[in-house]
Amino acid sequence: MLQLPTPLQQIREDFIDDKNIKLFIKRDDLIHTLISGNKWRKLKYNIEAFKQSNKKYILTFGGAFSNHITATAATGKWLNIPTIGIIRGEELHKNSNVVLQEASQNGMQLYFVDRTIYRQKEININIFKNSINKNWNDVFVIEEGGANALAMKGCEEIVHEINIDFNFIYTASGTATTAFGLANACKNNQQVVAISALKGIDYIKSNLYHQVKNKNVLQFKQDIFGGYAKYNNTLIEFIKNFHQQHHILLDYIYTGKMMYQLYHDIKENSIPNNSTVVALHTGGIANANYLKLAY
């Protein structure tokens, strides 16, 4: 059901070839139509831990367009695991958009909570006990976006699948879990460049950051399009042109911004000539289709 390991696809452009840079994209978007990109990587060891826990349900969190919610619901249906999603936004319902519809159709029980209460999950996860009609002792909790140490372990395997020597690996970043996992698996002479989808970069405050073995290989760059899910015509045209030329669909929240920044870095000589670069496609195609970014 899952296409693993995922292939490397070379990206050729004149401005890249002129600098003798070899650019490859790691096609994790091909793992599965719904459990794609870094979502399966993050879920893999969490699923193993769930099976050993004797819990009955997997419970996780997300916003209205969360790829993690979609992937968790699809994984639950595939493996016959009941799933629960706590969704930010009390005004929402299961038919609010295609992402929530997909999750509901795959059997996930959705609970919509006040945004203020939702933010308190980082302080006290028990605040949601009264929100769900389930015995809390039966619930295996996976953090929002799958952001935990088990997810980092899964993301390390991305590097282990890359069978070429590379100097840089670029990834989009939300919770930074993927970037942390990549850093744990990279050599000291390799660089992980994470392009943040968020307006601020507070990853060094994360408990997961302290579990990164080699922080020296990590570099974060802030989203230049204004913050999470912000976009403009420049980004949309870039995504459409990239799809036309390379037949690879990017989304406007994560991968489109990552590739745009990577192209910018090559053009501005931030990446030395003769380098080998891997761009990780972390999925997110549901959001790309939502804006009809493909021709």
Side-chain angles (χ1 to χ4, degrees):
M1 179 171 177
L2 303 178
Q3 296 188 43
L4 289 166
T6 56
L8 285 175
Q9 178 176 334
Q10 188 167 9
I11 301 297
R12 302 293 298 268
E13 301 263 13
D14 288 343
F15 75 95
I16 298 173
D17 292 344
D18 288 346
K19 298 174 183 292
N20 200 30
I21 290 174
K22 291 184 173 64
L23 172 60
F24 299 87
I25 187 163
K26 174 73 167 157
R27 296 294 307 274
D28 267 20
D29 57 309
L30 299 179
I31 291 176
H32 186 270
T33 54
L34 296 177
I35 318 167
S36 73
N38 57 353
K39 302 311 174 189
W40 170 248
R41 307 289 189 175
K42 292 179 179 182
L43 285 170
K44 177 181 176 180
Y45 290 107
N46 276 289
I47 295 296
E48 289 188 8
F50 164 78
K51 290 180 177 178
Q52 296 170 8
S53 71
N54 294 319
K55 304 287 188 180
K56 293 182 179 179
Y57 307 89
I58 287 178
L59 179 146
T60 194
F61 307 84
F65 291 96
S66 169
N67 293 315
H68 170 68
I69 289 292
T70 301
T72 304
T75 302
K77 182 178 181 180
W78 169 38
L79 298 176
N80 199 28
I81 299 170
T83 57
I84 301 169
I86 295 181
I87 310 299
R88 181 180 64 249
E90 68 279 16
E91 77 282 7
L92 299 169
H93 52 82
K94 68 179 183 180
N95 293 316
S96 292
N97 60 56
V98 292
V99 172
L100 296 176
Q101 288 172 18
E102 192 81 54
S104 179
Q105 289 167 7
N106 278 322
M108 177 174 275
Q109 300 176 50
L110 301 178
Y111 294 87
F112 302 91
V113 300
D114 177 272
R115 294 167 188 270
T116 301
I117 294 176
Y118 184 91
R119 285 194 292 269
Q120 296 180 42
K121 70 182 185 304
E122 306 301 334
I123 303 170
N124 183 9
I125 203 169
N126 291 327
I127 194 171
F128 299 103
K129 280 187 176 181
N130 294 329
S131 298
I132 64 171
N133 186 27
K134 295 288 181 292
N135 182 345
W136 197 256
N137 293 326
D138 290 337
V139 169
F140 181 90
V141 176
I142 300 178
E143 289 79 358
E144 182 175 11
N148 59 26
L150 292 171
M152 284 175 57
K153 181 181 177 182
C155 291
E156 291 178 26
E157 296 181 352
I158 297 169
V159 176
H160 299 155
E161 287 182 9
I162 299 173
N163 57 2
I164 61 170
D165 291 327
F166 63 89
N167 307 103
F168 299 87
I169 183 166
Y170 272 62
T171 183
S173 182
T175 63
T177 308
T178 302
F180 294 158
L182 296 176
N184 273 343
C186 278
K187 302 172 184 176
N188 289 333
N189 63 343
Q190 296 172 324
Q191 193 78 23
V192 178
V193 184
I195 311 304
S196 175
L198 309 177
K199 198 168 185 177
I201 301 177
D202 293 326
Y203 300 125
I204 59 173
K205 299 177 183 178
S206 164
N207 290 330
L208 291 180
Y209 179 75
H210 301 296
Q211 300 179 46
V212 179
K213 301 168 188 173
N214 189 358
K215 299 178 179 64
N216 292 329
V217 305
L218 270 173
Q219 179 186 165
F220 286 98
K221 295 192 176 185
Q222 187 153 331
D223 164 37
I224 61 174
F225 289 96
Y228 185 75
K230 303 292 185 182
Y231 61 92
N232 58 25
N233 288 336
T234 299
L235 177 62
I236 299 305
E237 286 307 308
F238 172 83
I239 291 171
K240 288 183 175 180
N241 290 336
F242 189 87
H243 179 257
Q244 272 193 320
Q245 191 163 354
H246 302 291
H247 309 291
I248 299 173
L249 186 56
L250 307 173
D251 79 301
Y252 70 98
I253 297 178
Y254 293 107
T255 54
K257 294 179 178 181
M258 180 271 295
M259 286 302 301
Y260 184 93
Q261 182 67 54
L262 172 53
Y263 271 36
H264 177 269
D265 287 353
I266 293 174
K267 291 173 181 177
E268 296 299 315
N269 300 313
S270 297
I271 296 175
N273 290 2
N274 306 305
S275 296
T276 298
V277 185
V278 175
L280 174 62
H281 196 312
T282 52
I285 302 307
N287 285 326
N289 288 332
Y290 179 71
L291 275 191
K292 296 181 174 61
L293 298 183
Y295 286 108

